[in-house]
Amino acid sequence: MRQSKYDQDHRTSDSGVSSLIEYFIISGILMLVIIITILSIVPVAIDNPTDQLTEYAFIDIGNGVSTRIVDLYIVAPEYGNMTTDFDIPDDIVGKGYFVEIGGVEGAVVVSVYRDNIRRNISIAGIGQTVGVGGWTTGHGLNEICYDSEGNCA
């Protein structure tokens, strides 16, 4: 029996298999690129802007606490004591933080920090005259106390 030209062309032709293998290879490469993109988008598009926003918020909080301390010092009596309450945000970008007031390299600073992000803001002008120190978190009301004898607890 004689084979038709149609049967001979299709039996010896590998073009169908080649196209299928080419499709699988290209699809695999594209899937690999998509997976790499998905894994790298979180640090680039979410973590970096979140850290930057946190740094700016820490600077604002440090400036606010520093201003409140200086304002209390300005109106504080020569003899006696004075106390004021203030509120700062409970969290920044859904995470808590700490505020510490104390000396760093010879200057009195308000240090706002969490994890690996820390911002130091100097207390303008009163660091050498009045001993300033303490720490707090963002949760609840916070208190600044002044006592001319240095007996704040």
Side-chain angles (χ1 to χ4, degrees), residues 55 58 100 104 111-120:
E55 288 179 16
F58 284 179
E100 190 174 82
V104 174
S111 183
V112 185
Y113 63 92
R114 97 161 157 235
D115 301 332
N116 61 345
I117 302 171
R118 176 182 290 264
R119 288 294 164 250
N120 295 325

Side-chain angles (χ1 to χ4, degrees), residues 10-29:
H10 288 286
R11 281 192 191 159
T12 59
S13 174
D14 293 334
S15 65
V17 175
S18 307
S19 296
L20 184 63
I21 291 174
E22 179 183 353
Y23 172 77
F24 282 138
I25 291 173
I26 290 174
S27 296
I29 291 171

Side-chain angles (χ1 to χ4, degrees), residues 3 6 22 26-27 35 38 54 56 72 78 86 91 96 105 107 121 127 136 148-149:
Q3 292 182 343
Y6 176 80
E22 179 183 353
I26 290 174
S27 296
I35 289 170
I38 288 172
T54 301
Y56 290 135
L72 180 69
E78 187 175 344
F86 67 97
D91 57 25
E105 298 177 5
I121 293 86
T136 187
S148 60
E149 297 176 7

